[in-house]
Amino acid sequence: MQLITSVTSRTEQLEHFSKRFARKWKNYFSIDGLIPGIEPTTEQKHVVQSSEKQLIIRGSAGSGKSLMLAYRLIKIMEQADTSQKILYVTFNQTLIQDTIKRLRLSETYNKLADNHQVRLYTYHDLVREILVKECGYNSINKLKLNRAAIAEHEAFIEAKIKVILTRFNESGEFKEHEKLFKTHSAKFLMEEFFWMKANGLITKEKYFERERTGRGHSPNVAKKQRPTIFYLFEKYNSLMRTNFNVPQLDMEDYALYLLNELRINPRASFKYDHILVDEFQDLQPMQIKSLVALTKSTITLVGDDKQRIYKRTPVSYKDINLKVTPRMNQKLSKNFRSTKQIMNLAGGIEFTDIENVREDNQEFFREGEKPVIKHFTSMQRMANEIIRNIKSIHKSNPDKSIAVIHRYSQEELHQYGNLKDVLDREFDVIGIDKYGYRFDYNKVKKPIFFTNPFEIKGLEFDHVFVIHFDRDHYPSEQRIEDLNVKYGGDKMGEDNYEKDYDEILNDEKKVLYVACSRAKQELKIYFSGNKDTFVSPFIREFNTRDYESNFNKKKYQK
């Protein structure tokens, strides 16, 4: 029997095909040449073309995650028929400043910027502005999220909780509640309260039901002690709201306040059409949940669990309203930042909580010299070596960027004779506070960037010197001392102590990974001490064939 297709039917099919083709063509966006000096890969182009409303992009350091956000931002601007409200948000101000500089290198971005409302914020600056300008809050304390500011903020919160504990014990209230252990200190309570808020556990029911994952293994909290802790939690919140001329928010309050405003007004005028989130692995669950609620159309998040160094609790997609499917969860495997030799070294670091990406299975676009791990008998000898190296770079390649990554404490940074003090006498050295207006991609001779691994996240430099690669700083001696204080001394052999100790080592490996993976062309890892045996125990993470040294590296084989 002959099948006959009517003209009407064929016309409908052609119209349907045309509409589908038009939609696909409209969604297509060429990213070639968008940002000078960067040639996008086919893999990156595929990710940029994704039309998913919720998109998570993962990839190791140097795979172009932040670049994907910049491309997707420009794509949104290019393809929109009307003016769009677009938000780019990340954890710290340095990365915001760096993103602004990179975007301004793009002629396409500069042409389109006036047609849209594009805002780039740290998470806490964003929420602060929304609450004050849009929700009627008179004033909110401003939080800077660098390492020193976080320490200062936590010291302030811990002091207030000490006041609450003192009042609780001296007033006799404690007799009406289950007794806490001596180890349930003000610092422990601060961390507990932050963990509760980060996970949205702000009611008795939620707090009592939730397993305390992400809270370490000591001190223990018995179920019958949770009502006491929650009572103190409420006392703390009341003190922060009523004991100051301006109500105080701690760093985890911001998300809860924003979520509450969005719950009251789900169609709020301050919502954004599109949100792009960089380094999302360092944001807490409620912070991400609030950003999901803040968007009207699309949200794109990029991150790398191997670089999660601001840790409070693991992220649960279910709790933050993200629907994880294969199409919305994409991974970048190619590396265009660092040389293969640098990432061979950094990729040797193994983590207990993350499935390692085998760096030798990645595609690299750069080759170079092997990284160097070098021992010096004094800091002055190390300083002289760094000075010689920098002068050589300035002479042969003055346009190359240079960073020195340290682990000095804030007090040590202000002491006479430290490495920064020595470098200051020879070069234009800047820290995190001056990066925004002193570091210029278009400037031929760039200043030397001197900072710690926490402030350098998301940035990249041609030449990187990692110092303090010794057993006092990798892992951090201070973190081990804090652990011993918590347990009342070194308790190796005790199961819970060893679990917490291993978690510290794992976190500290991530700090080292971040430091090493900032290097594009050359990586040098230095330490000073009487003997090379003072080297960090993490040296055993590295394969000896992946680095050069001035000592017998065979004794540090894996």
Side-chain angles (χ1 to χ4, degrees):
M1 180 177 179
Q2 187 177 6
L3 294 177
I4 300 174
T5 304
S6 69
V7 174
T8 303
S9 177
R10 283 182 60 81
T11 302
E12 290 175 349
Q13 289 176 10
L14 285 170
E15 286 181 357
H16 179 65
F17 173 80
S18 298
K19 288 178 181 178
R20 284 176 56 199
F21 183 80
R23 282 197 295 268
K24 287 187 176 182
W25 176 253
K26 183 181 179 183
N27 188 58
Y28 179 77
F29 178 68
S30 175
I31 60 177
D32 291 311
L34 266 187
I35 298 178
I38 296 176
E39 294 297 327
T41 66
T42 302
E43 181 183 55
Q44 291 170 344
K45 292 177 181 179
H46 174 74
V47 172
V48 171
Q49 303 307 335
S50 173
S51 59
E52 296 295 313
K53 295 290 186 181
Q54 295 183 343
L55 182 65
I56 296 175
I57 305 170
R58 296 184 180 278
S60 296
S63 57
K65 301 180 300 298
S66 297
L67 189 60
M68 293 302 92
L69 280 192
Y71 285 146
R72 286 181 68 81
L73 188 156
I74 297 172
K75 175 188 175 185
I76 291 168
M77 297 165 70
E78 174 76 28
Q79 295 187 336
D81 296 325
T82 59
S83 177
Q84 300 290 292
K85 286 183 65 177
I86 307 169
L87 169 67
Y88 186 109
V89 63
T90 191
F91 188 79
N92 65 52
Q93 188 61 42
T94 311
L95 195 50
I96 290 292
Q97 294 165 346
D98 192 68
T99 302
I100 292 171
K101 291 174 184 177
R102 287 194 179 277
L103 285 172
R104 286 177 178 167
L105 293 175
S106 170
E107 290 184 10
T108 305
Y109 172 81
N110 292 326
K111 288 178 182 178
L112 296 170
D114 290 339
N115 299 334
H116 304 279
Q117 300 178 54
V118 181
R119 300 289 183 267
L120 293 91
Y121 287 105
T122 65
Y123 178 81
H124 290 85
D125 282 348
L126 163 74
V127 178
R128 182 175 180 269
E129 180 166 302
I130 288 175
L131 295 179
V132 172
K133 291 187 176 181
E134 305 288 347
C135 302
Y137 289 75
N138 291 328
S139 181
I140 291 176
N141 49 301
K142 183 176 177 64
L143 285 179
K144 289 184 178 180
L145 268 297
N146 56 53
R147 194 67 176 166
I150 290 173
E152 183 179 345
H153 176 73
E154 290 182 346
F156 170 78
I157 299 299
E158 186 179 350
K160 301 310 166 191
I161 294 175
K162 281 182 180 177
V163 171
I164 293 167
L165 267 178
T166 300
R167 291 176 181 173
F168 179 69
N169 291 322
E170 290 181 352
S171 67
E173 283 182 281
F174 69 92
K175 296 177 183 178
E176 303 171 15
H177 299 269
E178 183 67 29
K179 187 177 181 181
L180 299 179
F181 303 140
K182 288 183 179 180
T183 50
H184 293 142
S185 62
K187 184 172 184 178
F188 161 79
L189 289 173
M190 176 193 71
E191 292 174 349
E192 186 80 354
F193 296 166
F194 281 180
W195 172 80
M196 292 162 66
K197 290 183 178 185
N199 283 282
L201 310 177
I202 55 175
T203 65
K204 285 183 180 180
E205 294 74 21
K206 288 183 178 180
Y207 176 54
F208 294 170
E209 292 171 2
R210 182 70 172 264
E211 292 294 324
R212 297 178 67 255
T213 53
R215 287 293 296 118
H217 299 86
S218 179
N220 292 323
V221 173
K223 284 189 176 181
K224 60 184 179 180
Q225 292 174 317
R226 289 201 187 191
T228 307
I229 292 174
F230 194 84
Y231 177 79
L232 294 171
F233 176 67
E234 290 183 315
K235 286 285 186 183
Y236 159 72
N237 288 329
S238 176
L239 180 142
M240 294 289 281
R241 288 193 301 267
T242 62
N243 208 50
F244 303 90
N245 291 331
V246 176
Q248 298 291 298
L249 273 66
D250 64 43
M251 63 174 64
E252 305 303 343
D253 276 327
Y254 282 66
L256 298 176
Y257 275 56
L258 178 56
L259 280 167
N260 185 57
E261 292 297 329
L262 289 168
R263 180 186 60 80
I264 295 171
N265 186 9
R267 296 185 179 180
S269 60
F270 55 79
K271 294 180 78 170
Y272 285 84
D273 297 303
H274 308 276
I275 296 180
L276 304 107
V277 187
D278 203 356
E279 302 288 354
F280 90 95
Q281 76 278 351
D282 282 329
L283 294 178
Q284 303 302 337
M286 292 303 101
Q287 293 171 350
I288 298 174
K289 184 176 182 178
S290 67
L291 291 174
V292 174
L294 189 62
T295 185
K296 293 193 287 186
S297 182
T298 71
I299 183 167
T300 304
L301 307 100
V302 305
D304 175 12
D305 287 339
K306 289 195 286 186
Q307 298 184 64
R308 188 175 65 236
I309 57 178
Y310 288 102
K311 181 182 177 183
R312 180 105 45 214
T313 185
V315 172
S316 168
Y317 291 121
K318 182 180 178 182
D319 290 341
I320 57 181
N321 296 334
L322 282 175
K323 300 174 182 177
V324 181
T325 65
R327 289 181 60 182
M328 69 158 284
N329 198 2
Q330 301 199 23
K331 196 170 188 69
L332 297 171
S333 61
K334 296 177 175 62
N335 186 300
F336 68 91
R337 173 197 291 160
S338 305
T339 66
K340 181 178 180 179
Q341 289 72 21
I342 289 171
M343 291 311 295
N344 279 346
L345 186 82
I349 303 173
E350 295 186 356
F351 309 101
T352 57
D353 60 337
I354 297 165
E355 182 182 351
N356 271 40
V357 176
R358 284 190 56 80
E359 307 298 344
D360 55 4
N361 287 338
Q362 292 190 352
E363 183 178 343
F364 292 90
F365 298 90
R366 295 171 181 261
E367 293 276 349
E369 299 294 325
K370 288 182 181 180
V372 172
I373 301 179
K374 199 166 186 178
H375 165 246
F376 299 88
T377 54
S378 69
M379 193 282 286
Q380 186 58 53
R381 289 177 183 271
M382 181 176 71
N384 292 339
E385 173 83 358
I386 293 175
I387 290 169
R388 282 195 297 270
N389 273 271
I390 293 176
K391 286 183 176 179
S392 176
I393 295 167
H394 280 170
K395 184 177 180 180
S396 59
N397 295 290
D399 61 327
K400 298 298 183 181
S401 56
I402 303 170
V404 179
I405 305 176
H406 68 83
R407 295 209 74 179
Y408 284 121
S409 67
Q410 283 301 113
E411 293 74 21
E412 290 169 335
L413 271 179
H414 293 94
Q415 292 175 2
Y416 175 80
N418 64 35
L419 182 60
K420 183 178 185 303
D421 185 50
V422 175
L423 295 179
D424 274 334
R425 301 170 201 166
E426 300 280 347
F427 309 107
D428 178 17
V429 181
I430 65 169
I432 195 72
D433 54 329
K434 296 180 181 178
Y435 181 85
Y437 63 92
R438 292 282 299 281
F439 189 90
D440 185 352
Y441 280 103
N442 292 312
K443 192 175 181 181
V444 174
K445 190 173 181 180
K446 302 170 182 64
I448 309 302
F449 193 48
F450 190 91
T451 190
N452 61 63
F454 295 88
E455 316 300 352
I456 206 168
K457 285 198 66 182
L459 305 182
E460 59 185 34
F461 297 84
D462 296 299
H463 299 266
V464 169
F465 298 87
V466 176
I467 66 170
H468 288 138
F469 188 60
D470 55 60
R471 58 181 61 252
D472 283 349
H473 296 92
Y474 288 99
S476 164
E477 184 181 40
Q478 185 60 55
R479 292 193 65 183
I480 302 299
E481 288 178 2
D482 290 344
L483 179 69
N484 291 338
V485 168
K486 184 190 288 189
Y487 278 88
D490 183 336
K491 296 293 177 66
M492 276 297 180
E494 288 189 11
D495 186 51
N496 284 341
Y497 178 93
E498 292 194 358
K499 287 179 180 177
D500 282 347
Y501 185 86
D502 288 344
E503 284 188 7
I504 289 175
L505 295 188
N506 195 56
D507 289 347
E508 288 290 297
K509 288 179 188 179
K510 292 176 183 176
V511 175
L512 177 61
Y513 177 83
V514 167
C516 293
S517 58
R518 300 308 94 199
K520 296 168 62 177
Q521 180 176 326
E522 183 180 53
L523 171 64
K524 296 195 174 184
I525 303 173
Y526 290 167
F527 69 102
S528 62
N530 291 333
K531 297 181 179 180
D532 65 72
T533 51
F534 190 52
V535 69
S536 163
F538 292 163
I539 194 171
R540 296 187 184 277
E541 295 286 312
F542 301 139
N543 194 308
T544 53
R545 68 170 177 263
D546 289 333
Y547 65 91
E548 305 290 352
S549 69
N550 65 341
F551 51 84
N552 180 11
K553 59 185 180 180
K554 288 184 179 179
K555 58 186 176 184
Y556 302 116
Q557 287 179 337
K558 283 189 175 184

